[in-house]
Amino acid sequence: MNHLPQTIQVQINGQVKTLMVRQAELFLDTLRNAGLTGAKPGCKNGDCGSCTILVDHIPIQACQLFSMEVMDKNIMTIEGLIDQTVQKAFEEKWALQCGYCTPGYILNAYALLQHHPNADEETMKQWLDSNICRCTGYQEIIDAVTLLIDRNEYHEHHS
Amino acid sequence: MISFDLQYFQPNTIEDAINIYEQFISENKKPIYASGGTEIISRARRNEVQPDAIIDLKNIPGFHKCEHKAGKLQIGSAVTLNHAATHSNFPLLKTVIQSIATQTARNKITIGGNLASSLPYREAVLPLLLTDSTIVLATPKGAITKNIHDVFPFNEHLKELELMMEVHLDSKLIKHPHFWIKKTKQSQINYPIVSVAAMHIDNEIRIATSGLTANPLRMKQLEKDILQAVEIEDCLDQIESYLPSPIIDDMIAQSDYRLFLFKQIIKDIAINWKGAS
Ligand SMILES: Cc1cc2nc3c(=O)[nH]c(=O)nc-3n(C[C@H](O)[C@H](O)[C@H](O)COP(=O)(O)OP(=O)(O)OC[C@H]3O[C@@H](n4cnc5c(N)ncnc54)[C@H](O)[C@@H]3O)c2cc1C
Ligand code: FES
Ligand code: FES
């Protein structure tokens, strides 16, 4: 048994990648070292959501994930979200200022809409409460996601 | 970043998990079992724990089950909090879980991790204490089943090598009336100053609490007192003497305030439910 770096195979944004990782490495660091800097380090403690990525379509904080855990998983980072619908709604509703929290919010909102295209207010609030924004007043973010729900943007994809 | 090196294992069987643990112990090294791994990551990042090996239990079949079978709700220890909330069909468990951490964090935090956490809160245990659950433990000699009251808190009762496989509880109990309150200092998403879960089961009022003392507690003597008391104030005075350890006194809340809140909550429960009991 040894501590040597391991090779992991993982699908990131539709491409299968083979990466060398330290066994103690956190996936947030692996992603950023691989040039995927959209996942942002904030608290690194599971509190702020700025590092949110999708693992098999489920939002997960990359700072709370060992790289060894993602072997053979399907990962989406903000770089892989080609569909710009959520981004445009954020723009329309002024739901960002400095933008640091935005990739985490957008992926979380995207996953919410995939899982609950008609999310009620309580469900939406519960999901969005996972992220912290130091700039906006949160209402703009809620407005952006509400807009997407009202426009039924993700209903077709889901059903 | 975790600054030290370790070895990461993802065994597919309980036997392998225990064998790996045993091997590291025999080499005078420190292994640790992980379910969600989030607490281990946070503590390792701060060098509060420095395991030589992480034994991730998530790949063991059966550790993900959450189903009603043979009259029992059975939840595997690697079931995430969100999965347990959605699939257990246990209203109180769902409500309690939805107040733990955030929606995203609950996609990773597990039942096993919450119950065996080194933090004082472990709020997911409260509905399990109220329903007198049983815990299936894996030991080097095979699986054993214990009453939750005999093995919780795990940090005091689990022997080296032992790990939690499943929790079982009587399916008939889950639909009984329940009560839940969590008092936090600021935002709703936070550790509790005090949280209280209660169930009204037949003629009993069952009460469990977190945040008051170093471990979550089922308050059996208080439950009896409430039923017998003519004046609820009489049993509130006794509460402190039923606690096995001092009330937490820290920067989040002073002990007097925690006790004050707890008494108010108990009073509300008694007033609401005594008429019906
Ligand atoms: C943002 C945030 C907010 C939080 N808020 C709350 C809250 O409001 N209330 C609350 O109660 N908790 C809260 N927590 C704490 C959280 O519930 C615990 O840290 C929990 O331990 C994490 O679960 P895990 O599955 O990731 O644990 P892990 O990191 O896998 O393990 C935690 C501990 O349990 C042991 N363990 C895990 N599985 C087993 C097993 N099967 N058998 C034996 N031992 C095992 C591990 O060895 C370790 O010591 C919060 C955590 C975060 C990150
Ligand atoms: S950096 Fe991961 S949750 Fe804050
Ligand atoms: S826009 Fe700056 S942190 Fe949210």
Side-chain angles (χ1 to χ4, degrees):
Chain A
M1 297 194 220
N2 58 56
H3 294 116
L4 290 178
Q6 294 276 312
T7 303
I8 58 164
Q9 211 172 57
V10 51
Q11 184 172 327
I12 305 180
N13 300 331
Q15 291 185 329
V16 177
K17 305 221 183 230
T18 305
L19 302 167
M20 281 289 261
V21 298
R22 278 173 62 231
Q23 294 182 54
E25 194 165 311
L26 302 179
F27 194 53
L28 176 60
D29 297 321
T30 305
L31 283 173
R32 294 181 62 82
N33 290 339
L36 295 166
T37 54
K40 302 289 184 229
C43 65
K44 296 188 179 173
N45 201 44
D47 295 313
C48 77
S50 68
C51 64
T52 303
I53 57 168
L54 304 188
V55 180
D56 291 340
H57 312 285
I58 290 173
I60 297 280
Q61 294 148 333
C63 72
Q64 300 284 289
L65 190 59
F66 282 103
S67 302
M68 297 293 289
E69 285 180 84
V70 302
M71 191 100 76
D72 297 325
K73 301 265 188 228
N74 180 355
I75 306 294
M76 182 191 273
T77 69
I78 193 69
E79 290 87 348
L81 186 58
I82 307 299
D83 173 3
Q84 300 275 310
T85 317
V86 185
Q87 286 92 321
K88 290 205 176 101
F90 269 58
E91 214 179 291
E92 197 174 326
K93 289 290 175 183
W94 297 90
L96 70 153
Q97 289 182 29
C98 80
Y100 199 81
C101 68
T102 312
Y105 263 112
I106 286 182
L107 281 174
N108 193 20
Y110 176 74
L112 165 69
L113 295 161
Q114 297 284 316
H115 290 274
H116 304 282
N118 299 317
D120 57 23
E121 204 178 325
E122 198 192 326
T123 308
M124 174 176 64
K125 207 170 163 306
Q126 210 168 66
W127 279 60
L128 295 181
D129 266 356
S130 302
N131 298 60
I132 291 176
C133 173
R134 306 306 303 264
C135 303
T136 70
Y138 293 104
Q139 189 56 45
E140 300 86 344
I141 296 168
I142 291 171
D143 290 347
V145 180
T146 306
L147 183 75
L148 293 165
I149 294 169
D150 289 349
R151 281 187 191 154
N152 231 350
E153 286 286 2
Y154 283 88
H155 201 249
E156 272 171 41
H157 303 251
H158 193 71
S159 48
Chain B
M1 170 178 167
I2 294 174
S3 59
F4 56 91
D5 279 321
L6 52 77
Q7 285 175 262
Y8 201 94
F9 296 90
Q10 293 165 305
N12 294 313
T13 65
I14 294 168
E15 294 73 30
D16 283 353
I18 292 179
N19 286 342
I20 297 165
Y21 199 107
E22 206 162 20
Q23 180 164 351
F24 273 83
I25 293 286
S26 72
E27 293 168 8
N28 267 328
K29 290 180 176 168
K30 285 175 289 183
I32 192 166
Y33 292 125
S35 291
T38 65
E39 183 171 307
I40 294 172
I41 287 175
S42 292
R43 299 190 72 209
R45 208 170 37 77
R46 295 193 291 258
N47 283 324
E48 289 171 11
V49 287
Q50 284 207 343
D52 295 297
I54 289 185
I55 305 165
D56 180 345
L57 304 171
K58 280 194 294 290
N59 283 3
I60 303 178
F63 276 46
H64 292 277
K65 76 169 164 195
C66 184
E67 61 190 13
H68 287 268
K69 207 171 168 185
K72 302 267 180 212
L73 169 60
Q74 308 186 358
I75 309 176
S77 67
V79 167
T80 65
L81 293 188
N82 277 343
H83 190 82
T86 319
H87 292 88
S88 64
N89 237 339
F90 183 0
L92 176 62
L93 185 63
K94 180 175 182 174
T95 309
V96 172
I97 283 178
Q98 286 183 335
S99 80
I100 296 175
T102 63
Q103 168 75 23
T104 301
R106 294 193 296 269
N107 284 330
K108 191 94 198 313
I109 296 175
T110 62
I111 288 283
N114 184 272
L115 264 58
S117 167
S118 60
L119 296 166
Y121 310 107
R122 288 163 276 173
E123 288 174 292
V125 80
L126 300 179
L128 310 179
L129 291 172
L130 293 178
T131 47
D132 297 329
S133 305
T134 49
I135 303 286
V136 185
L137 297 175
T139 77
K141 291 185 181 149
I144 54 170
T145 301
K146 297 244 180 178
N147 187 301
I148 192 162
H149 302 297
D150 297 331
V151 282
F152 187 82
F154 294 126
N155 50 345
E156 290 170 19
H157 292 102
L158 239 60
K159 300 198 186 88
E160 203 167 60
L161 301 176
E162 287 182 353
L163 63 101
M164 182 188 145
M165 289 164 63
E166 289 170 20
V167 52
H168 292 185
L169 60 97
D170 186 344
S171 293
K172 287 199 294 294
L173 297 180
I174 64 174
K175 298 289 180 192
H176 283 270
H178 69 265
F179 170 93
W180 166 247
I181 193 162
K182 176 169 180 167
K183 294 280 187 188
T184 56
K185 188 168 179 185
Q186 280 173 321
S187 63
Q188 270 182 329
I189 299 169
N190 212 332
Y191 294 110
I193 294 177
V194 63
S195 55
V196 177
M199 289 186 86
H200 199 303
I201 298 180
D202 302 329
N203 290 325
E204 293 175 50
I205 292 175
R206 300 187 184 182
I207 296 169
T209 182
S210 163
L212 201 58
T213 56
N215 295 306
L217 299 171
R218 169 86 183 268
M219 305 286 291
K220 286 190 176 176
Q221 187 56 49
L222 178 63
E223 293 169 9
K224 282 187 199 148
D225 288 2
I226 290 174
L227 287 184
Q228 284 163 8
V230 181
E231 291 292 331
I232 185 67
E233 301 290 343
D234 296 343
C235 53
L236 296 183
D237 291 341
Q238 299 296 319
I239 286 177
E240 244 184 305
S241 65
Y242 298 149
L243 301 176
S245 58
I247 299 175
I248 297 175
D249 192 300
D250 61 14
M251 61 182 281
I252 297 173
Q254 288 185 331
S255 54
D256 286 352
Y257 184 55
R258 285 180 202 266
L259 183 61
F260 167 77
L261 281 180
F262 184 68
K263 285 183 177 176
Q264 290 301 314
I265 294 167
I266 296 304
K267 207 166 151 182
D268 288 346
I269 295 172
I271 290 168
N272 273 323
W273 275 349
K274 262 201 88 173
S277 64

